[in-house]
Structures are given as structure tokens and as C-alpha cells.
Amino acid sequence: MTTKIRPTALIRVSGGPRYAAAMAVDAIGTGLLRPFLLIYGVTVLGLSAPATGAAMTAGVLAGLGCMPAVGRWLDRGARSTVVAASMLVRALGVAMLLATPTGQLWPFVAAAVLFSAGNQAWPAAHAALVATLAVGRERDAALAASRSLRNAALGIGALLATACLAGGSDALRAMAVGTGLAYLAAAGLAWSVHLRAPATVAAPTEEGAPRMGALLAANVIYAFCLNVPEIALPLVLTAYLHASPVWSAVVFVANTVLVVALQVPVTVALARVSRRIALSAGGVVLAVSYLGFCAATSLGPGWAAPAIAAVSVVCTIGEIIYAGSATALVIAVAPSRLLGRAIARFELSTGIGLAVSPAAITALAPLGAGALWGSLAGATLLSAGAVAGQGKRGLD
């Protein structure tokens, strides 16, 4: 089965124009502050870099605890209300951040928890909302279109923030205020959609949710790819290859542009194969790119950085395949009465992968390129194999 790209239809099944505007405003606000939260803690609040980083990590881990409640809320039929709540929680995080006195760590931790809870809840709530409006491969395309829109808006927010960084502490505070206002505006737009799912009950012949333990464990490893352009490659390029920071920026911009341009076409093209096979293939592509990074680092000064930038395109293609098939697979196999909890469990596994990957990457990098990229490639290939083997257990 194939799906044609119809922009107006994609907007409709993605929540409509107001919801699309809410996503864009929310993402611009996130792009304004999230990449620079560490800088805010150090520059504005006067916290040490290790303390700020530890607080952010603790906040991310604590924020993961909201996901079971989010799943149950979604299974009671809530949709746009949960999306709006995820935005309001982050607005509260901004308020807490602005109210944090200089040198005080714990209010900053509380703000990080609120940011994390909102950031974790939003993807699950959004996926459930789209699943209420669209079915089949049209739903997959709608999820892909939403990711493209969000990445574009995140990039715009980050560019605006980068332009403001020269203003020092006052500019950072202004960025935080702008982020809070964006979250409030986005929450209002999302809530105005007033979408709920119809009540569902188990049919007499309906089976329980398929066992997804292997898929969730594999997803923890897959999620590492989302931090490769932001953490692994900048670390390798600047700290170990002593390349110009421009190369890190090139990799990040290329990743963003490719996701915006290719997420929908690639997802539509993948409609020709099962979602499970696509997800497994995405893992293989990611593993090949990791081995490419390992080979590129051995090329020496002058060649390693451009080679890594070239290989990053392959890594981004793997990321696009993963993002276009993973959530769609979970939605497709989950019974409607358990959809919220299934998506919440999947997003929890993604959050765990994103939380542990910085520590894993920074621990492996000093051991050499083979240890870093070889470990990532091996773990990802094992994960792809585990996903491929799930066809016998109903995950297709």
C-alpha cells in the first residue's frame, strides 16, 4: 500500500491549522531555550557547570515518572487536553526558572523536572491525537509531517536564540520569557481544538496488548541516534580531532534540513514494506553509519572532519527511517483501549535512551573510536535483529 502526499489532508489529520500553529509556536519556544538551558544555569544563575549538568540529568530522569499517568489519562479519551497540559507544564518550568535566585540549585532542578515532564508527555499525547484522526499509512505520513514541522520550528527558535546570545544574561532572561509566552500561546491553541477520543471497551474477541519488551529495549538503543548529531559528533570533532566548531554546526544544520525535507517522502516510500521491517532496516543503516564514523576518524587531519560530515547524512537517513516507523508500529499493534499506555511506554523507553546516551557516549569516547562507534554499531545491530524477530509475536 502507498500513500500520496496531500498537504491539506496531512494538516487535517494532524489536528488542523490551529493545532499545526500550536505545534510550531511550541517548537519555536523550545528551540529558544532548551539547547541553552545549561548556559542559562551557568551564566544567569551562577551555578557551576557540573552542578548544572547534574541538575538537568536529575530533572530528565524525574520527569520520566509522569509517563504512566499520561498513558492512563490518554486511555480515558483525553487528547488535546493532554497536549495543552504538556505545554502548560513547561510554561510553569519557565516561571520557576525565572523565579530561581542566583546560586540556588534546587529551584533549577524543579524547573528541569517540569521541562522534562512536559517534553516527555508531548510526543505521546501528540501521537495519540493523530491516531484519533487518521488511520493506516495516512497516519504514518501525518506523524512524519508533524516531525518535519516541529524540526523546522525548533531550528528557527535555535537560530533566534543564537542571535541573542551576544546580549549576555539579560538576553537569556528575555529568551526564557519568550519561551514561556510561546508555551502559553501554544497551550491555548492546542486546547481550543477540543478533541477527545471516543470511549473504547474491550471486545469479546480482542486480545491484550502484544508483548513489546524486546521492542522497548531495542528502542532505548535506537534513541541514541537522536543524540549523535548533538553530542557524539561535536565531542569527537572538537575534543578529539580538534576540528573547527564550524563542522559541528554543519552536521547539526544538515541533520535538521534533511529531516524537514525528507521525513515525509521517506515515510511515504516505506509504506511499501511492513513497519517492523522498516524499523529493523533503519537500525542497519544507523549501524553502518556508526562504522562509517569509526573509519572517518582514522583519516587524519584535513580529511576526518569532512568525512564525518558526509557520513552524518547516512546517519540522518537512518534516524528518519527510525522516526517514521517506530511510533507508527506501536500505534498499529496496540489495541485502541490500551493505546495511551502503549505509546507512553514507548516514549518512556525513548526518554531513557536520551537520558543515558550522553553518559554512555562521553564514557566511551575517551577509549577510542573503536570503542565508541563499535559499541554503538554492535548494540544497534542487535536491536535491529531483535525487532526483525518480533514478527512471530504479532509486531508487524
Side-chain angles (χ1 to χ4, degrees):
M1 177 182 176
T2 59
T3 301
K4 294 182 179 179
I5 302 175
R6 300 185 299 274
T8 55
L10 285 181
I11 292 174
R12 175 180 55 79
V13 297
S14 298
R18 276 181 298 169
Y19 186 72
M23 284 195 298
V25 173
D26 173 78
I28 289 173
T30 299
L32 275 173
L33 185 61
R34 192 171 73 180
F36 307 103
L37 188 56
L38 178 67
I39 298 174
Y40 188 99
V42 174
T43 303
V44 178
L45 301 180
L47 302 172
S48 69
T52 305
M56 291 172 62
T57 300
V60 169
L61 294 174
L64 294 174
C66 76
M67 293 310 297
V70 169
R72 290 191 294 271
W73 194 5
L74 291 170
D75 283 337
R76 290 197 290 268
R79 290 295 184 267
S80 57
T81 303
V82 186
V83 174
S86 74
M87 297 168 177
L88 284 175
V89 166
R90 282 176 285 173
L92 289 174
V94 173
M96 177 66 72
L97 190 67
L98 292 170
T100 300
T102 301
Q104 296 297 309
L105 181 63
W106 290 109
F108 181 78
V109 173
V113 171
L114 292 170
F115 285 136
S116 174
N119 288 333
Q120 291 296 323
W122 185 86
H126 168 69
L129 184 145
V130 172
T132 305
L133 295 171
V135 296
R137 295 295 181 168
E138 187 178 53
R139 178 185 59 223
D140 299 8
L143 290 170
S146 300
R147 185 168 191 255
S148 292
L149 173 63
R150 185 166 177 81
N151 271 48
L154 283 169
I156 291 171
L159 285 174
L160 291 172
T162 302
C164 293
L165 282 179
S169 297
D170 290 340
L172 286 168
R173 287 192 180 93
M175 284 162 45
V177 172
T179 298
L181 293 175
Y183 287 151
L184 288 173
L189 286 167
W191 180 81
S192 71
V193 174
H194 297 305
L195 179 68
R196 283 186 60 85
T200 58
V201 295
T205 58
E206 184 179 41
E207 299 181 359
R211 295 180 180 179
M212 298 194 299
L215 175 61
L216 297 179
N219 187 55
V220 173
I221 302 300
Y222 269 88
F224 274 51
C225 74
L226 302 175
N227 272 334
V228 166
E230 296 185 22
I231 296 175
L233 295 184
L235 177 64
V236 170
L237 285 167
T238 59
Y240 297 101
L241 296 178
H242 307 291
S244 168
V246 171
W247 286 110
S248 298
V250 167
V251 168
F252 182 80
V253 171
N255 175 269
T256 301
V257 171
L258 286 172
V259 169
V260 171
L262 299 180
Q263 186 67 70
V264 174
V266 170
T267 301
V268 170
L270 290 173
R272 297 178 177 86
V273 300
S274 77
R275 298 175 181 91
R276 177 181 57 83
I277 295 301
L279 181 56
S280 182
V284 174
V285 174
L286 288 171
V288 168
S289 73
Y290 297 155
L291 295 176
F293 289 134
C294 185
T297 57
S298 66
L299 296 179
W303 292 100
I308 285 175
V311 175
S312 72
V313 174
V314 180
C315 184
T316 299
I317 297 300
E319 176 191 332
I320 289 170
I321 297 172
Y322 158 62
S325 55
T327 304
L329 173 60
V330 173
I331 294 174
V333 301
S336 58
R337 64 188 176 87
L338 298 175
L339 177 65
R341 273 166 280 193
I343 297 174
R345 288 171 62 200
F346 178 77
E347 294 299 338
L348 178 61
S349 70
T350 302
I352 292 172
L354 292 174
V356 303
S357 58
I361 289 169
T362 54
L364 289 170
L367 302 179
L372 173 60
W373 301 115
S375 297
L376 289 179
T380 305
L381 280 176
L382 287 175
S383 298
V387 170
Q390 291 299 294
K392 299 177 181 178
R393 307 186 70 171
L395 286 182
D396 223 335

